[in-house]
Protein backbone atom coordinates (compact mmCIF):
# COMPACT_ATOMS: atom_id res chain seq x y z
CA UNK A 1 0.00 0.00 0.00
CA UNK A 2 2.86 2.38 0.86
CA UNK A 3 4.48 1.69 -2.54
CA UNK A 4 1.21 2.60 -4.27
CA UNK A 5 1.00 5.87 -2.35
CA UNK A 6 4.60 6.72 -3.24
CA UNK A 7 4.01 5.86 -6.91
CA UNK A 8 0.86 7.98 -7.01
CA UNK A 9 2.55 10.92 -5.31
CA UNK A 10 5.50 10.81 -7.68
CA UNK A 11 3.30 10.53 -10.75
CA UNK A 12 1.42 13.64 -9.60
CA UNK A 13 4.70 15.46 -9.00
CA UNK A 14 5.96 14.63 -12.45
CA UNK A 15 2.72 15.15 -14.35
CA UNK A 16 2.98 18.02 -16.76
CA UNK A 17 1.65 19.11 -20.06
CA UNK A 18 3.34 17.12 -22.77
CA UNK A 19 4.43 18.87 -25.93
CA UNK A 20 3.60 17.78 -29.43
CA UNK A 21 7.09 16.46 -30.09
CA UNK A 22 9.58 14.72 -27.84
CA UNK A 23 11.86 17.16 -26.15
CA UNK A 24 15.54 16.83 -26.91
CA UNK A 25 18.93 17.50 -25.42
CA UNK A 26 18.55 21.24 -26.05
CA UNK A 27 15.68 21.34 -23.54
CA UNK A 28 17.92 20.29 -20.66
CA UNK A 29 18.91 23.36 -18.63
CA UNK A 30 22.65 23.69 -18.15
CA UNK A 31 23.88 22.53 -14.76
CA UNK A 32 27.16 22.63 -12.88
CA UNK A 33 28.23 19.68 -10.76
CA UNK A 34 28.66 20.66 -7.11
CA UNK A 35 29.68 17.35 -5.59
CA UNK A 36 30.15 13.65 -6.00
CA UNK A 37 27.34 11.59 -7.50
CA UNK A 38 25.47 9.35 -5.06
CA UNK A 39 23.68 6.06 -5.60
CA UNK A 40 20.52 6.91 -3.62
CA UNK A 41 18.41 9.81 -2.40
CA UNK A 42 15.88 9.55 0.48
CA UNK A 43 12.25 9.36 -0.69
CA UNK A 44 11.00 11.64 2.10
CA UNK A 45 13.25 14.42 0.83
CA UNK A 46 12.03 14.40 -2.80
CA UNK A 47 9.89 17.50 -3.35
CA UNK A 48 9.75 17.70 -7.13
CA UNK A 49 11.01 16.04 -10.27
CA UNK A 50 11.41 17.55 -13.72
CA UNK A 51 11.67 15.31 -16.76
CA UNK A 52 13.64 17.08 -19.49
CA UNK A 53 13.80 14.38 -22.17
CA UNK A 54 14.04 10.60 -22.57
CA UNK A 55 17.22 10.49 -20.52
CA UNK A 56 17.48 13.37 -18.01
CA UNK A 57 15.44 13.92 -14.81
CA UNK A 58 16.18 16.57 -12.18
CA UNK A 59 15.06 15.88 -8.60
CA UNK A 60 14.64 18.67 -6.05
CA UNK A 61 15.09 17.50 -2.50
CA UNK A 62 14.49 19.30 0.80
CA UNK A 63 15.49 22.92 0.50
CA UNK A 64 16.76 24.02 -2.88
CA UNK A 65 19.17 21.19 -3.55
CA UNK A 66 18.93 19.47 -6.95
CA UNK A 67 20.16 16.10 -8.17
CA UNK A 68 20.42 15.32 -11.88
CA UNK A 69 19.85 11.72 -12.93
CA UNK A 70 21.05 10.83 -16.40
CA UNK A 71 19.69 7.43 -17.36
CA UNK A 72 22.27 5.06 -18.90
CA UNK A 73 20.09 4.68 -22.01
CA UNK A 74 17.12 6.58 -23.45
CA UNK A 75 13.74 5.69 -21.98
CA UNK A 76 11.24 5.85 -24.88
CA UNK A 77 8.40 8.38 -24.42
CA UNK A 78 9.64 9.61 -21.00
CA UNK A 79 10.33 13.09 -22.41
CA UNK A 80 6.92 13.23 -24.08
CA UNK A 81 4.86 11.96 -21.14
CA UNK A 82 6.94 13.71 -18.44
CA UNK A 83 5.76 11.33 -15.71
CA UNK A 84 6.83 8.02 -14.25
CA UNK A 85 6.31 5.68 -11.35
CA UNK A 86 8.63 3.42 -9.42
CA UNK A 87 8.58 0.74 -6.74
CA UNK A 88 11.09 0.41 -3.99
CA UNK A 89 11.14 -1.69 -0.84
CA UNK A 90 13.42 0.73 0.98
CA UNK A 91 13.06 4.40 1.86
CA UNK A 92 15.37 5.58 -0.91
CA UNK A 93 15.32 5.93 -4.69
CA UNK A 94 18.50 4.37 -6.02
CA UNK A 95 20.47 4.03 -9.22
CA UNK A 96 19.60 0.33 -9.39
CA UNK A 97 15.85 1.11 -9.32
CA UNK A 98 13.59 0.92 -12.36
CA UNK A 99 11.15 3.66 -13.37
CA UNK A 100 8.10 3.06 -15.56
CA UNK A 101 6.78 5.72 -17.90
CA UNK A 102 3.12 6.56 -17.28
CA UNK A 103 1.22 7.12 -20.52
CA UNK A 104 -2.07 8.92 -20.95
CA UNK A 105 -4.78 6.31 -21.36
CA UNK A 106 -7.71 6.42 -23.77
CA UNK A 107 -10.26 6.90 -20.98
CA UNK A 108 -8.37 9.60 -19.11
CA UNK A 109 -6.43 7.15 -16.95
CA UNK A 110 -2.79 6.19 -17.02
CA UNK A 111 -1.23 3.16 -18.70
CA UNK A 112 2.18 1.68 -18.02
CA UNK A 113 4.79 2.39 -20.68
CA UNK A 114 8.44 1.36 -21.00
CA UNK A 115 10.52 0.60 -17.89
CA UNK A 116 14.07 1.90 -17.61
CA UNK A 117 16.94 1.93 -15.14
CA UNK A 118 18.09 5.03 -13.32
CA UNK A 119 21.65 6.36 -13.23
CA UNK A 120 23.52 7.94 -10.34
CA UNK A 121 22.23 11.13 -8.72
CA UNK A 122 24.61 14.02 -9.31
CA UNK A 123 24.26 17.10 -7.08
CA UNK A 124 24.00 20.11 -9.38
CA UNK A 125 23.39 23.82 -9.47
CA UNK A 126 20.94 24.42 -12.32
CA UNK A 127 21.05 27.52 -14.50
CA UNK A 128 17.39 28.55 -14.66
CA UNK A 129 18.05 31.72 -16.65
CA UNK A 130 16.14 31.96 -19.95
CA UNK A 131 18.24 31.27 -23.03
Amino acid sequence: MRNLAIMTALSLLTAGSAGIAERGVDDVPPARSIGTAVSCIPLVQIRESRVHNDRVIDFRVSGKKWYRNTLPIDCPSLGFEERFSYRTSISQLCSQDIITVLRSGGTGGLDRGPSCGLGKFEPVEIDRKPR
Side-chain angles (χ1 to χ4, degrees):
M1 185 60 146
R2 185 168 189 263
N3 284 344
L4 180 58
I6 291 169
M7 289 173 48
T8 302
L10 188 59
S11 68
L12 292 174
L13 283 173
T14 61
S17 57
I20 293 173
E22 297 251 352
R23 296 178 340 186
V25 175
D26 292 340
D27 294 320
V28 178
R32 181 176 61 84
S33 178
I34 58 170
T36 304
V38 296
S39 295
C40 301
I41 56 175
L43 291 176
V44 297
Q45 291 184 9
I46 298 173
R47 299 293 178 249
E48 175 184 2
S49 61
R50 293 183 183 174
V51 175
H52 296 295
N53 59 27
D54 286 351
R55 200 164 181 193
V56 177
I57 306 168
D58 287 337
F59 292 88
R60 183 174 65 86
V61 296
S62 300
K64 294 188 178 200
K65 188 170 186 177
W66 288 89
Y67 286 94
R68 177 159 288 175
N69 193 292
T70 302
L71 282 62
I73 59 171
D74 286 357
C75 192
S77 74
L78 177 63
F80 180 78
E81 295 293 347
E82 298 181 311
R83 58 185 162 230
F84 58 91
S85 66
Y86 61 86
R87 277 196 177 158
T88 180
S89 60
I90 61 173
S91 60
Q92 299 183 85
L93 186 60
C94 297
S95 58
Q96 50 282 42
D97 288 328
I98 303 294
I99 62 169
T100 299
V101 176
L102 296 175
R103 293 183 172 161
S104 299
T107 59
L110 296 174
D111 294 330
R112 294 171 54 92
S115 293
C116 308
L118 290 170
K120 291 221 176 208
F121 295 86
E122 182 179 11
V124 293
E125 185 174 276
I126 299 172
D127 180 7
R128 297 278 180 212
K129 297 175 189 169
R131 292 187 247 176

